[in-house]
Amino acid sequence: MSTKFVIDGLKAEIEGKEILKGINLEIKGGEIHAIMGPNGTGKSTLASALMGHPKYEVTGGSVSLDGEDVLEMEVDERARAGMFLAMQYPSEIPGVTNSDFLRSAINARREEGNEISLIKFIRQMEGKMKELEMNPEFAHRYLNEGFSGGEKKRNEILQMMLLDPKLVILDEIDSGLDIDALRIVAEGVNAMRSEERGFLIITHYQRLLDYITPDHVHVMMQGRIVKSGGPELAQRLEKEGYDWVKEELGITDETVGQA
Amino acid sequence: MSTQLTTPTDRQSTEALARSKGEPNWLVALRGQAAELTATLPWPKPEKVKIERWNLTAVGQYEATAAVSSISELPQTVQELIAEGTENLLVQKNTGAVWSKLSSELADKGVIFTDLETAVKEHSELVEKYLFQAIKFDEDKLTALNAALWNGGVFVYVPKNVEVELPLQAVLYNDKAEATFAPHILIVAEDNSRVTYVDSTVTVKDAVTEAFTHPSLVEVFVKPGAQVRFGSVHSLGESGVDLSLRRAVVDRDGRIEWIIGDLNDGNTVSDTKSVLVGHGSTSDTKVISVGQHKQQMSLTTQAVHFGKSSDSNMITRAVMRDSASAIINGVTKIEHGATKANGVQAEKVLMLSSKARGDANPILLIDEDDVTAGHAASVGQVNPEQVYYLMSRGITKPDAERLIIHGFLAPVVSEVPVEAVRDQLNRLLERKLEG
Ligand SMILES: Nc1ncnc2c1ncn2[C@@H]1O[C@H](COP(=O)(O)OP(=O)(O)OP(=O)(O)O)[C@@H](O)[C@H]1O
Ligand SMILES: [Mg+2]
């Protein structure tokens, strides 16, 4: 069965402030959707609410992955059901090595007694690290601790590759990446494109979309998707900014939750 | 409050016992004096922990112990702590040594590694020069008690320029509350020598249910240019009180490293101090602890700087569960004249229960201008952002928390020099964190 991810009328609030005001979006396996939009318009909130961050309270709407109710699931269940979020600001976890973490994450998807063998795991991890041109020492470093911004992003992609998710959300995966890293990360994403997998890519810049051509581009303002189009929409935004969208829609303040 | 000791620690019987064991006169006299002082000296007074309220009187009786002829005669708990194929091993059971071996290679180099009781007989002058010099026997009731009662014990002597590659290992265990368990560990590393010593201090759990007190002292002398790594994991039973004082005196360009796991199930006072006497002397102290049930603990690390350009670093990390409580003190003292000294300390407590208590008290006492010093202290819960991050990768909540907690302690665990002891530490952590 090909993947189908449906967001229907999703509303969410944080600390009593409504940030998401009804998001509708459908992502099928094989599709790449890009979400763009000015700062503070709710993009990361959408990503967090979808993943189940405990600070965000969903107040309305529904989300399903292959017919399963995502909002009913705990965060770890969502991940095991096939969701993956590369975070805008990944956490640092001192004392837990990257490789111990990755192995735990892989084994969490397997039955007890059927854990991945250490040798097979190391081979997989080292293979993917090589593709991402990561220094092998990062396997033994503590998870994200002291990683540079770009190294953290690369490490998020490493996790994505090893965990083989069905629905991938990338929140500003391109921020902090140098030109070479941007290409490497984009190649990593492209290598993962498949009919089984859908992508939701949050970004501010066309440069990422030069590498990863989206099927659909959406603009978010005021906690809603206010405009959707094809790849040409991203190109126009890159050239002209958001003013024309705001004008077209009669929006003066595009942010959300600023009281 | 005056405390009745179940063992007669009066002068006469203490001296009589020492004499009957064939101890040299200087020690007989020292023990006698100490015994007398146990009646009048006060218990140590660690910050905010009232140890007088603990049962400190169960110091037990002297019992002669017979040596074992093979490791396999030792309890399973003890056997699994022993590094495979080690030639350098000392085992103390309750009141005395039951196993003592040193490789002929090290013996030929002049290294001494034996129980302290044997050492005072075979190397009386050498031991006399150091015993109770780093810690005075008349400092308080604890030091006097140890001086009067100690038996078994450990003596390590490393001659000038000798580097001992493999760790010297000791296992000190008790399996009955009625027998005195009061080790004294003395380490002397001569100029430019190098040695690693690791011990495990354990109770054979099911065998001991009655109250017991474990007054233990460690003295380390680090001579110019010498390096000593001292690792110690304590896991005494719930009915025990562990009173452990450790002190190193470090000469010019010498270095002491302490790696301490305070993982007892009972109340604990642990005080680990480096006295940096020489110019360029350095000290690195790492302590971890897990408190559970109603355990009360006082964990102190100290560095005292006299030497110019001396350097100290101290880390204590504790995880507190249930209604356990720990007062964690870090004391960096820089004396006048210790110019260019640097002292850094960090105490961190992870609270796993709202009923647990963890106080971190960093104390900097600085009598010199031209120095650098720093401290950090924090008490907090498992960070929910971190739990979320791990869960977002499919890891269950309990596993996520377990990873984070073990990660919190990892910087110390990974430093433990002997693999068997590192495994012991991991097993203990597993048990204490998940039990
Ligand atoms: N944890 C929080 N506490 C309070 N306010 C929050 C929190 N998270 C988000 N908000 C608010 O919600 C609004 C949307 O934030 P969000 O991070 O979703 O924006 P974004 O579109 O991802 O912006 P950017 O492009 O800068 O990353 C902002 O006003 C932000 O301050
Ligand atoms: Mg964002």
Side-chain angles (χ1 to χ4, degrees):
Chain A
M1 186 178 77
S2 174
T3 298
K4 193 170 166 196
F5 186 66
V6 183
I7 307 169
D8 184 13
L10 184 67
K11 290 185 179 179
E13 58 184 41
I14 181 152
E15 287 157 13
K17 269 190 312 190
E18 183 167 82
I19 307 290
L20 299 184
K21 309 204 163 169
I23 302 279
N24 300 302
L25 193 63
E26 190 175 320
I27 302 174
K28 294 200 192 71
E31 289 180 355
I32 294 192
H33 291 244
I35 291 196
M36 304 184 78
N39 295 130
T41 52
K43 303 182 299 297
S44 293
T45 302
L46 173 62
S48 298
L50 291 175
M51 201 67 231
H53 192 296
K55 273 197 177 168
Y56 298 83
E57 195 194 339
V58 172
T59 51
S62 67
V63 179
S64 69
L65 177 61
D66 295 342
E68 282 188 83
D69 185 347
V70 166
L71 299 178
E72 277 296 301
M73 299 180 204
E74 295 296 326
V75 178
D76 57 320
E77 293 171 324
R78 295 181 196 199
R80 293 197 299 273
M83 290 179 60
F84 181 88
L85 166 59
M87 299 193 192
Q88 185 172 1
Y89 304 109
S91 285
E92 300 191 0
I93 312 211
V96 178
T97 63
N98 215 5
S99 69
D100 280 351
F101 156 68
L102 288 167
R103 198 145 66 98
S104 300
I106 289 172
N107 282 332
R109 288 163 172 72
R110 295 166 147 250
E111 300 280 305
E112 215 172 307
N114 187 31
E115 285 85 1
I116 189 169
S117 78
L118 187 58
I119 294 171
K120 192 170 170 208
F121 164 71
I122 289 175
R123 214 172 38 227
Q124 281 186 13
M125 178 182 61
E126 287 181 345
K128 298 298 179 199
M129 288 179 78
K130 209 166 171 182
E131 279 180 46
L132 292 169
E133 297 181 24
M134 287 173 78
N135 185 328
E137 77 159 63
F138 278 90
H140 311 294
R141 292 265 300 266
Y142 291 149
L143 178 52
N144 292 331
E145 191 185 47
F147 285 27
S148 75
E151 287 163 355
K152 281 182 184 162
K153 296 298 165 116
R154 244 187 257 215
N155 206 41
E156 294 287 285
I157 294 300
L158 174 66
Q159 294 169 43
M160 175 192 76
M161 290 175 134
L162 286 168
L163 297 178
D164 194 24
K166 286 195 224 169
L167 191 276
V168 176
I169 307 167
L170 304 176
D171 192 357
E172 295 200 23
I173 196 67
D174 50 339
S175 75
L177 290 181
D178 65 42
I179 297 156
D180 291 332
L182 183 69
R183 178 182 47 76
I184 292 161
V185 161
E187 279 168 5
V189 171
N190 282 329
M192 293 282 289
R193 279 184 95 148
S194 95
E195 285 308 306
E196 303 305 309
R197 200 175 347 260
F199 285 87
L200 181 62
I201 299 179
I202 297 168
T203 183
H204 284 295
Y205 303 106
Q206 172 61 30
R207 60 179 186 208
L208 179 67
L209 305 179
D210 287 341
Y211 287 105
I212 309 170
T213 313
D215 302 294
H216 304 275
V217 174
H218 311 278
V219 179
M220 219 166 141
M221 286 184 189
Q222 296 177 326
R224 287 189 185 87
I225 290 175
V226 294
K227 195 168 182 66
S228 297
E232 74 290 341
L233 176 55
Q235 280 159 11
R236 181 160 180 208
L237 292 172
E238 171 86 358
K239 246 183 267 146
E240 300 178 29
Y242 289 104
D243 281 352
W244 66 274
V245 183
K246 285 162 67 179
E247 219 162 283
E248 199 176 289
L249 298 169
I251 294 171
T252 45
D253 179 6
E254 71 279 12
T255 62
V256 63
Q258 305 291 58
Chain B
M1 189 174 83
S2 81
T3 310
Q4 287 302 305
L5 300 166
T6 56
T7 283
T9 39
D10 63 281
R11 183 171 215 139
Q12 266 122 11
S13 51
T14 302
E15 287 181 352
L17 177 61
R19 251 186 235 108
S20 76
K21 290 196 286 175
E23 292 180 354
N25 288 335
W26 64 266
L27 184 55
V28 174
L30 181 146
R31 284 190 186 273
Q33 246 185 306
E36 205 161 273
L37 286 170
T38 57
T40 50
L41 286 175
W43 286 109
K45 290 198 170 34
E47 285 285 306
K48 297 185 207 165
V49 182
K50 296 205 165 56
I51 73 165
E52 323 79 73
R53 291 191 189 161
W54 301 354
N55 182 353
L56 300 172
T57 59
V59 294
Q61 306 281 343
Y62 175 77
E63 276 183 22
T65 28
V68 296
S69 53
S70 142
I71 296 284
S72 63
E73 290 170 40
L74 296 169
Q76 193 53 40
T77 321
V78 174
Q79 285 187 44
E80 62 192 19
L81 301 176
I82 296 169
E84 223 175 281
T86 184
E87 285 188 279
N88 309 308
L89 174 69
L90 191 93
V91 180
Q92 172 169 347
K93 171 187 173 181
N94 303 318
T95 311
V98 293
W99 182 271
S100 173
K101 287 272 184 301
L102 176 68
S103 71
S104 51
E105 186 202 334
L106 289 178
D108 289 347
K109 287 181 180 167
V111 174
I112 303 169
F113 177 47
T114 182
D115 64 285
L116 188 59
E117 273 191 68
T118 300
V120 291
K121 291 171 203 162
E122 294 180 359
H123 312 279
S124 174
E125 274 177 37
L126 186 59
V127 175
E128 185 182 8
K129 211 171 133 190
Y130 297 103
L131 190 66
F132 287 103
Q133 297 307 309
I135 300 173
K136 299 292 182 201
F137 75 92
D138 57 0
E139 288 183 15
D140 53 35
K141 198 194 289 285
L142 170 59
T143 63
L145 198 59
N146 179 276
L149 292 178
W150 74 261
N151 32 51
V154 179
F155 181 61
V156 175
Y157 179 81
V158 187
K160 220 169 168 167
N161 301 326
V162 172
E163 296 193 2
V164 180
E165 291 297 331
L166 294 170
L168 306 178
Q169 189 185 8
V171 178
L172 306 109
Y173 75 97
N174 71 332
D175 66 357
K176 61 197 289 193
E178 304 77 42
T180 300
F181 188 31
H184 192 110
I185 296 161
L186 177 60
I187 297 177
V188 180
E190 294 283 13
D191 297 24
N192 303 314
S193 67
R194 191 189 281 246
V195 67
T196 297
Y197 163 89
V198 181
D199 71 41
S200 303
T201 298
V202 302
T203 296
V204 177
K205 290 275 150 59
D206 299 329
V208 185
T209 49
E210 302 288 301
F212 69 91
T213 304
H214 170 258
S216 156
L217 301 189
V218 174
E219 300 182 90
V220 182
F221 294 87
V222 184
K223 297 303 185 67
Q227 290 189 29
V228 176
R229 296 194 89 193
F230 183 102
S232 183
V233 176
H234 283 207
S235 61
L236 296 175
E238 199 175 349
S239 61
V241 171
D242 184 7
L243 304 172
S244 287
L245 225 58
R246 307 177 187 93
R247 208 168 294 169
V249 178
V250 189
D251 266 338
R252 180 171 40 82
D253 298 322
R255 177 169 178 79
I256 176 80
E257 294 176 23
W258 302 101
I259 303 136
I260 310 292
D262 283 315
L263 293 163
N264 299 309
D265 288 340
N267 291 350
T268 302
V269 172
S270 161
D271 185 333
T272 307
K273 180 172 179 175
S274 299
V275 184
L276 300 172
V277 174
H279 296 184
S281 56
T282 63
S283 161
D284 186 271
T285 309
K286 295 191 173 78
V287 178
I288 57 168
S289 185
V290 177
Q292 65 182 151
H293 305 315
K294 289 192 164 124
Q295 255 187 294
Q296 291 179 35
M297 298 194 281
S298 165
L299 310 175
T300 302
T301 54
Q302 304 191 57
V304 185
H305 294 249
F306 291 96
K308 294 190 201 320
S309 302
S310 53
D311 187 285
S312 69
N313 189 11
M314 307 192 290
I315 293 175
T316 302
R317 296 200 164 191
V319 176
M320 304 306 291
R321 306 179 48 184
D322 308 326
S323 43
S325 101
I327 308 295
I328 296 167
N329 309 298
V331 184
T332 305
K333 188 159 196 291
I334 303 183
E335 303 287 348
H336 185 66
T339 50
K340 304 270 188 286
N342 175 48
V344 179
Q345 55 162 301
E347 294 80 36
K348 281 194 179 180
V349 190
L350 197 56
M351 309 287 283
L352 301 188
S353 143
S354 58
K355 286 194 229 116
R357 176 174 178 203
D359 278 10
N361 307 312
I363 300 161
L364 299 179
L365 303 164
I366 298 177
D367 273 334
E368 173 59 54
D369 294 329
D370 184 15
V371 300
T372 51
H375 66 86
S378 68
V379 177
Q381 276 124 23
V382 175
N383 182 335
E385 282 294 330
Q386 294 179 337
V387 175
Y388 164 69
Y389 185 74
L390 295 180
M391 286 178 75
S392 79
R393 299 324 186 217
I395 298 170
T396 61
K397 190 168 191 179
D399 282 349
E401 289 177 344
R402 198 176 55 85
L403 277 171
I404 293 163
I405 295 162
H406 281 268
F408 175 75
L409 301 170
V412 179
V413 177
S414 62
E415 295 281 320
V416 171
V418 171
E419 194 185 345
V421 179
R422 206 157 48 235
D423 291 345
Q424 175 208 10
L425 195 54
N426 278 318
R427 279 196 306 275
L428 284 168
L429 291 176
E430 210 67 35
R431 181 175 64 73
K432 289 205 81 174
L433 291 169
E434 260 127 85

